[in-house]
Amino acid sequence: QSALTQPASVSGSPGQSITISCTGTSSDIGGYNYVSWYQQHPGKAPKLMIYEVSNRPSGVSNRFSGSKSGNTASLTISGLQAEDEADYYCSSYTSSTTVVFGGGTRLTVL
Amino acid sequence: EVQLLESGGGLVQPGGSLRLSCAASGFTFSSYAMNWVRQAPGKGLEWVSAIVGSGGSTYYADSVKGRFTVSRDNSKNTLYLQMNSLRDEDTAVYYCAKGIVVAGRYYYYCMDVWGQGTTVTVSS
């Protein structure tokens, strides 16, 4: 199972919006609404930000939103803040009953 | 408070074995699927394995199938990962992560609580 494809890095200024893409296949993202997004600060454990494509767990800011079209999922962060600077990973359930992660995207807040 | 605490990491030679443990607290452990996810130094996340709440079904990444075994002891609220035939490329921080519940159904594909990780180094 190949990793999902994410851009290595994205950047934005405070207050702006950014979108991180995550591309898979019909065997993972395209086949199921089981896409998740995680935020990881350096040296810390990942934190769940989005589940089932577009749902936010309790306590996650509504500045974070998710969507999916075909084999590509997206995470949008609006009103960028300094604390949003982190690595972001997408993941998906697969037809092989496994879970696959994306390679990760480093978000820099300028 | 929901907590996961991994232990058992360390330095092991190629071909050796190690058993990781994850002690859970703050939730009904036996109801939830659990996962192991690893992260090699400077690299991204890699899903390793999952086990359903009853322990009756297990799932593995191709990279560890046949070498790693996931298990759980619900009486002790503890998750395990037995790692055999270790390779250099197994060097990573290993995280224990709790699966989610949505509308009363328990899933392993998404992880809402993570431990702090335990480091495994495979080297001669």
Side-chain angles (χ1 to χ4, degrees):
Chain A
Q1 179 71 47
S2 298
L4 305 174
T5 300
Q6 298 182 232
S9 63
V10 298
S11 63
S13 300
Q16 288 186 331
S17 294
I18 62 96
T19 296
I20 299 172
S21 62
C22 173
T23 301
T25 69
S26 58
S27 296
D28 39 65
I29 291 177
Y32 309 92
N33 287 324
Y34 291 153
V35 176
S36 308
W37 288 90
Y38 301 88
Q39 175 192 65
Q40 186 180 34
H41 287 108
K44 300 295 187 181
K47 175 187 176 183
L48 178 65
M49 306 302 285
I50 296 287
Y51 68 96
E52 287 186 345
V53 176
S54 60
N55 295 309
R56 276 178 289 105
S58 174
V60 172
S61 170
N62 59 9
R63 297 185 300 104
F64 291 83
S65 62
S67 63
K68 188 186 89 167
S69 177
N71 296 338
T72 299
S74 299
L75 173 71
T76 298
I77 309 174
S78 59
L80 267 180
Q81 299 180 359
E83 65 253 35
D84 298 332
E85 185 162 293
D87 293 328
Y88 291 84
Y89 295 91
C90 59
S91 75
S92 176
Y93 178 76
T94 82
S95 59
S96 302
T97 68
T98 61
V99 177
V100 62
F101 281 93
T105 298
R106 173 71 52 89
L107 169 62
T108 301
V109 180
L110 302 170
Chain B
E1 181 188 5
V2 176
Q3 285 192 323
L4 299 172
L5 183 62
E6 303 94 337
S7 62
L11 175 63
V12 60
Q13 291 188 338
S17 298
L18 210 55
R19 188 176 85 156
L20 306 183
S21 298
C22 171
S25 60
F27 63 103
T28 306
F29 181 72
S30 59
S31 294
Y32 287 84
M34 298 293 295
N35 294 268
W36 288 101
V37 177
R38 68 185 181 185
Q39 187 168 34
K43 301 297 184 181
L45 301 174
E46 180 187 13
W47 177 81
V48 172
S49 182
I51 184 169
V52 300
S54 66
S57 293
T58 57
Y59 307 88
Y60 298 94
D62 287 345
S63 58
V64 307
K65 196 175 297 183
R67 299 188 300 124
F68 290 11
T69 301
V70 62
S71 62
R72 61 193 299 159
D73 185 337
N74 288 340
S75 69
K76 296 182 178 179
N77 289 350
T78 302
L79 174 72
Y80 303 101
L81 185 67
Q82 177 66 43
M83 303 186 296
N84 298 331
S85 302
L86 283 162
R87 306 166 179 169
D88 291 351
E89 55 264 35
D90 295 319
T91 293
V93 173
Y94 283 73
Y95 293 102
C96 161
K98 170 180 161 289
I100 65 167
V101 58
V102 179
R105 299 191 68 176
Y106 296 86
Y107 299 99
Y108 62 85
Y109 81 90
C110 176
M111 299 141 237
D112 62 354
V113 178
W114 296 62
Q116 285 306 302
T118 187
T119 300
V120 172
T121 303
V122 183
S123 175
S124 54

